[in-house]
């Protein structure tokens, strides 16, 4: 007999479950070396290029119900085309198909579901280069960033969601058993079962800039806890999720399940298919990572669903002192270049005392830091090939507008300007904008700014910086906070401030956890709740034959007498 | 050194944690026999009576901030008075005090918090008789029901919440550690911590009818996960929660914590203090068990908070066949008598095929069952002392109106009438109303009816009954469903229907899980989510000294070459 999907992937799955429980970090997809990747059947980048080109200008077949024609919402910011033609399906038909598929998926149980989820990820892993090209030509990210964010890193993040969801299922006791001597005389043995009941149809609202890295945790956590998923990509970034959905449907169908457990809902932007689905009465879970504005809209309107909205918020860095000034400047310059879209992974607000900081190169004023940062950005982007590896292409006027507007609020330390891509002259590459603000400019730096906008905010002291961090992040959220200091007291105070604000903290690391290229990334929401909110536990109970014939007293009657006043 | 609260109660706590993981049922407070209870210092019922009487007509001192005078919102349905005078405190002052106390409570950590929670429960246990009298004279429940619902059963339910919350905390890895070889050449060892961060101030919206049994799970789950709790009882049922709050404040203060971690917010009903608190921006968790109407209001308006609203819904019993007809009739008669208020624990809808059922006493028609039920109720209530032990006193016109209205919708199988309490002639005791309906009367039996209202609904068949269960309970919720059948196929079908509807099921048991006198009770929501939704996990990370000097390749660069199309 061929082993089932769980048996095939048990070792991998259990090793990730054990690592999570032990506080270790297992990233099997990222850690696979070249030969491992080859063994896993990962296509070469040349083959992937051929496959990618073969998709362009053609109908993207998914075999979904409710077809209403084709839609081509994407345009490559690098000018590569023609656009892929996706089936536009009636959202109601997709939800109905998901509902029909749900009972069989619930009955499949957590082992089968987790095994198939890993199977889907392994197949996606072999297509990492194709997914990278799809992300590159929709999000505008550099190919290098796209590979990390849409390839092994996204797969590892998904695997962590699979392992956490599976661990929650495994934790439920298989059988319930106890004795009750509540009424009558004889102790009565009771038996019961404990079943994880999925919440219902799950909706993934795709984000335009990191569709897989942000999308996979919710998609896979829902699937493993038994919920079918309708994937509604952002109209600008369909292809990475479309490939994902096609792979998932193939794996599910080959295992004898309904492929409609995972479907793609894409339409012209003016149809607002994401909003339509988010308020569908049968949609019971919604996942979204992105702007506070749309997160608020979802929580306001998707009342029938559990909404897992991960707001970007205000990624904040507190700079107090450093023993590696050049490293700090280089890392900050690099991360300020890395954001071309609306989902910000770079620090927006860098809080530094006005009087400057102690470093291994002596005292540096805030003005020094600004000038050094600007120089470091220029050095980094000075070589066109390197610039093209780091910068992404801007895809929206929203980012262009933000770059113009933000420059008005304070002294510009580094102006954002056009950068030419050596291979794609039409791509709109922009260098990052660095603006110096005062602590009192709070209404500016507490807005979420899209694109490569970083504010250097001068504060009275590091204590003042931490107070600002605590207040602004507690209020507006953030994916992470970071602190640079050589002083253990400052690090301790930063730890407390981060706990008060409820935000992850990195200390003296240039590897930022919200960066998809980082090995440190967290699942959204930072808690077991991200998984446990997708199901409930339903128990059933019945008599079992009595195991003892000794009568037990009705204790309330015999042990205790009740007297009213 | 005196052992800390965790050490003192570790054995008890860990035994409950182990039992939950193993699918067993530990009810240490309920299972304590007379001598155990005496050893635990449980006051005699006579002493409790004296203590209870000493509270009447006096100010109930709590030492809370924001005092604005006294308020006496209760009236004993048994005519015992005068009413207790509670401090009315400014709700904003209570929330502010909770916020001030929060940081110290978070820092105390899960061990200290769980230990103190058990300490509070052990002290409450010694006052079980006093709490029973307090519940009896506010909710109107019979003293026997009040003892079970406000005494050991409520304490055991709380202990389960404590153990589950503690287990979630224990599950977090204490330290994070891994190696990263992402950039540069040397592998970098990283270390980190993983801290449970409470969500914020928690609000318990007390229900009028089972204030402790329904209130303790949220109160204790919030406390153990580090959230301070403001307790806002229903103005009709303050005393049981007021005693609880006073005990909690004493235990906390004696352990050196701020007593304002648990406060009581009570006011005249027209002040709507529950609504005011539920929408306070600093209130981040709201617990409520009761009507779908108020649950909807909370979810609509308490947008800043995680709302754990447990709707009563439509408790439903499917009767197919039985090998203990008398037992079935007796249990149903007893449970139909047990509801005097708005929080329904008895089955509202009993679905039976019109053509009747197979029993150990031969075939019984629906008419037979109705007549036998009516007789059983009359027998049960025939003796005044027994009637007073079973029935509670009606406390609201809402229940009186429901009894009048429901009788209009179908043939009355047992009319609700006044019953005289032998000791309290003014108490408004009512016998239960049994009404026969048709399956087509769905708009009647899909409403939540307060008080002792039970509908016998005639269906086409047991399959039809199960379809009705599936549809009405999926839509309106229920605390449980039950099925009586001797046919394994029917039991299996009922199991599937219950999973489809997402409801707990009891098979052939007369002990109903939503009955506070039952040993089977579940925590609200039936899932880990009830605990995990009260906190998030925040991680911090930093470098550790490198453990190896072997350079690791930058795998993306060396193992994989990226080529654009």
């Amino acid at each position: 007999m061929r082993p089932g999907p769980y048996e095939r992937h048990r070792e991998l799955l259990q090793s990730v479950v054990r690592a999570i429980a032990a506080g270790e970090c297992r990233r099997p997809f990222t850690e696979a070396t070249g030969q491992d990747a080859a063994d896993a059947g990962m296509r070469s980048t040349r083959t992937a290029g051929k496959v990618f080109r073969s998709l362009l200008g053609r109908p993207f077949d998914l075999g979904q119900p409710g077809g209403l024609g084709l839609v081509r919402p994407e345009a490559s910011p690098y000018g590569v085309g023609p656009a892929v033609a996706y089936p536009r399906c009636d959202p109601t038909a997709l939800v109905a198909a998901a509902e029909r598929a749900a009972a069989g998926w619930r009955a499949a149980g957590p082992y089968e579901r987790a095994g198939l989820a890993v199977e889907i990820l392994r197949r996606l892993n072999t297509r990492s280069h194709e997914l990278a090209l799809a992300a590159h030509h929709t999000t505008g990210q550099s190919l290098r960033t796209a590979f990390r964010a849409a390839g092994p890193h996204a797969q590892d993040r998904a695997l962590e969601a699979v392992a956490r969801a599976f661990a929650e299922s495994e934790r439920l006791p298989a059988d319930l058993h106890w004795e009750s001597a509540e009424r009558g005389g004889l102790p009565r043995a009771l038996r019961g079962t404990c079943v994880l009941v999925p919440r219902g149809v799950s909706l993934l609202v795709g984000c335009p800039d990191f569709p897989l890295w942000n999308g996979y945790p919710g998609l896979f956590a829902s699937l493993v806890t038994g919920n079918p998923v309708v994937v509604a990509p952002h109209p600008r970034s369909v292809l990475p999720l479309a490939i994902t959905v096609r792979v998932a449907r193939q794996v599910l169908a080959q295992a004898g399940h309904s492929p409609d457990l995972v479907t793609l809902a894409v339409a012209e932007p003016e149809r607002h298919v994401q909003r339509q689905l988010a308020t569908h009465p049968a949609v019971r879970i919604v996942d979204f990572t992105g702007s506070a504005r749309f997160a608020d809209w979802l929580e306001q309107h998707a009342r029938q669903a559990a909404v897992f909205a991960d707001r970007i918020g205000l990624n904040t860095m507190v700079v107090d002192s450093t023993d590696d000034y050049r490293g700090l400047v280089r890392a900050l310059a690099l991360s300020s270049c890395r954001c071309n879209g609306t989902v910000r992974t770079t620090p927006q607000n860098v809080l530094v005392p006005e009087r400057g900081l102690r470093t291994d190169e002596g005292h540096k004023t805030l003005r020094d830091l600004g000038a050094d940062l600007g120089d470091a950005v220029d050095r980094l982007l000075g070589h066109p090939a390197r610039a093209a590896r780091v910068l992404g292409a801007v895809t929206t006027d929203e980012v262009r507008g933000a770059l113009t507007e933000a420059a008005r609020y304070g002294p510009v330390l580094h102006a954002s300007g056009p950068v030419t891509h050596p291979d794609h002259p039409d791509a709109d590459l922009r260098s990052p904008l660095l603006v110096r603000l005062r602590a009192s400019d709070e209404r500016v730096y507490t807005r979420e700014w899209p694109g490569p906008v970083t504010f250097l905010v001068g504060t009275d002291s590091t204590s003042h910086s931490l107070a600002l961090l605590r207040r602004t992040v507690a209020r507006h959220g953030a994916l992470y906070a970071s602190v640079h200091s050589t002083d253990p007291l400052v690090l301790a105070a930063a730890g407390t401030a981060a706990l008060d604000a409820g935000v992850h903290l990195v200390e003296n690391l240039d590897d930022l956890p919200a960066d998809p290229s980082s090995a440190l990334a967290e699942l959204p929401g930072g808690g077991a709740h991200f998984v446990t909110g997708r199901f409930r536990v339903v128990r059933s109970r019945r008599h079992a034959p009595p195991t003892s014939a000794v009568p037990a007293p009705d204790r309330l009657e015999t042990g205790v007498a009740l007297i009213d006043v």
Side-chain angles (χ1 to χ4, degrees), chain A:
Chain A
M1 207 183 82
R2 192 159 169 266
Y6 173 70
E7 282 70 34
R8 281 202 297 287
H9 304 301
R10 182 176 52 194
E11 211 170 313
L12 176 64
L13 195 54
Q14 293 288 4
S15 77
V16 178
V17 169
R18 280 194 305 271
I20 292 169
E24 290 158 10
C25 182
R26 277 271 288 138
R27 304 268 160 190
F29 292 117
T30 306
E31 286 156 16
T33 61
Q35 190 51 47
D36 286 353
D39 291 348
M42 194 189 277
R43 284 171 177 164
S44 76
T45 176
R46 274 179 214 288
T47 312
K50 265 186 227 157
V51 173
F52 175 76
R53 279 192 304 275
S54 76
L55 297 173
L56 299 177
R58 301 254 176 81
F60 191 92
D61 189 37
L62 282 164
Q64 293 187 162
L68 298 170
L70 296 171
V71 56
R72 294 173 185 78
E74 295 161 324
S76 164
Y78 297 97
V80 171
V84 182
Y86 302 98
R88 181 165 80 76
C89 298
D90 176 12
T92 307
L94 297 180
V95 172
E99 286 190 281
R100 281 192 301 272
W105 192 233
R106 183 181 80 205
Y111 291 86
E112 169 98 356
R113 292 193 300 253
L116 288 172
V118 176
E119 181 73 34
I120 293 168
L121 287 171
R122 295 200 102 142
R123 298 241 195 134
L124 288 169
N125 182 246
T126 67
R127 293 167 164 239
S128 293
H129 290 102
E130 189 184 329
L131 291 162
L133 287 168
H136 175 58
H137 284 288
T138 50
T139 67
Q141 285 153 7
S142 74
L143 192 55
R144 185 192 164 120
T145 301
F147 182 84
R148 288 171 176 264
H153 276 298
Q155 293 144 15
D156 276 328
R157 205 164 183 242
L159 186 60
E160 182 176 340
V162 170
R164 286 189 187 271
F166 177 70
E168 285 296 335
S169 317
E170 259 200 321
R171 196 167 288 146
L172 292 183
D175 297 299
L176 307 173
H177 41 96
W178 63 93
E179 296 216 337
S180 159
E182 279 303 297
R183 294 183 194 159
L186 288 173
R188 304 190 305 178
L190 295 173
R191 290 287 176 275
T193 57
C194 200
V195 177
L196 182 156
V197 174
R199 190 180 269 266
V201 178
S202 185
L203 169 69
L204 169 61
V205 176
C207 78
D209 290 296
F210 291 104
L212 304 192
W213 198 78
N214 282 325
Y216 279 179
L219 170 60
F220 283 91
S222 271
L223 267 187
V224 176
T225 52
N227 305 281
V229 184
V230 179
V231 176
H234 190 284
R236 260 204 329 271
S237 299
V238 178
L239 191 55
L241 282 169
I243 295 171
T244 302
V245 168
R246 187 149 75 180
V247 167
R249 291 175 64 83
Q250 284 163 352
V251 170
L252 290 165
Q254 280 165 15
H257 293 279
S258 166
D260 294 338
L261 289 165
V262 183
T263 55
L264 187 79
V266 56
E268 299 81 2
E270 60 274 19
R271 290 188 190 268
H272 298 296
V273 70
Q274 296 182 326
R275 289 174 190 238
Q276 206 182 325
L277 279 162
T279 52
H280 190 294
V283 168
R284 307 303 309 279
I285 300 169
V286 180
D287 281 285
F288 170 72
T289 301
S291 70
R293 210 178 53 241
F294 194 63
D296 289 346
W297 186 93
L298 282 171
E299 289 176 351
Q300 200 71 237
H301 293 90
R303 311 302 301 280
Q304 82 294 347
V307 175
F308 297 94
D310 210 25
R311 290 167 174 79
I312 303 306
L314 310 174
N315 297 331
T316 301
M317 177 186 280
V318 169
V319 179
D320 170 73
S321 52
T322 178
D323 55 11
D324 180 15
Y325 181 67
R326 284 181 194 211
L328 170 64
V329 168
R330 201 166 46 227
L332 193 49
L334 184 65
S335 69
S336 73
C337 290
R338 277 252 174 83
C339 182
N340 65 304
T342 53
V343 175
R344 295 185 56 89
T345 53
T346 55
Q348 172 179 303
N349 301 333
V350 180
L351 311 180
V352 192
E354 284 281 357
R355 65 166 182 270
L357 59 152
R358 273 182 303 101
T359 82
D360 53 330
E361 303 189 0
H363 184 83
K364 299 285 181 183
T365 64
L366 179 52
R367 175 185 295 261
D368 294 335
L369 177 62
D372 292 339
L373 255 177
D375 289 348
V377 168
D378 285 337
R379 262 199 314 280
L380 189 66
L381 304 180
H383 188 286
R386 193 165 54 202
R389 271 210 306 277
V390 170
L391 293 178
V394 172
T395 57
T396 66
D397 287 337
E398 193 192 352
V399 170
R400 295 178 190 106
L403 288 169
T404 310
E405 188 192 346
R408 289 203 290 264
Y409 289 115
V412 170
L413 304 173
H414 187 275
S416 175
V419 175
T420 307
H421 193 291
D423 307 322
H424 302 289
D426 294 337
D428 184 6
L429 270 54
R430 307 283 183 108
S431 64
L433 175 72
L434 302 176
V435 178
R436 181 165 162 180
L437 294 180
R438 279 185 289 214
S440 57
D441 295 324
E442 200 165 314
R443 72 189 167 80
V444 178
Y445 63 78
T446 54
R447 278 167 59 186
E448 279 177 23
W449 290 84
V453 177
T454 296
F455 298 114
L456 234 65
V457 183
T459 64
D460 297 344
S461 63
T462 293
S463 295
H464 186 204
S465 297
L466 291 175
L468 280 180
L469 164 74
R470 184 183 265 115
R471 192 176 69 237
T472 59
V473 174
R475 175 90 188 273
H476 301 279
L479 291 182
Y480 66 90
S482 70
V483 57
H484 282 267
S485 178
T486 57
D487 182 343
L489 291 178
V490 168
L491 293 175
T496 306
L499 292 182
D500 288 345
V503 69
H504 300 303
L505 179 73
V506 294
E507 299 175 10
N508 295 322
L509 294 184
D510 48 4
D511 207 12
L512 299 176
D515 184 342
S517 68
S518 159
L520 305 176
E522 303 293 348
L523 290 189
H529 169 60
F530 182 73
V531 167
T532 55
R534 293 169 201 269
F535 63 86
R536 53 177 298 165
V537 176
V538 167
R539 294 180 177 82
S540 73
R541 277 165 270 239
R542 66 197 68 85
H543 280 294
T547 53
S548 150
V550 182
D554 182 339
R555 281 159 190 141
L556 181 65
E557 298 300 346
T558 55
V560 183
L562 293 170
I563 303 174
D564 195 1
V565 290

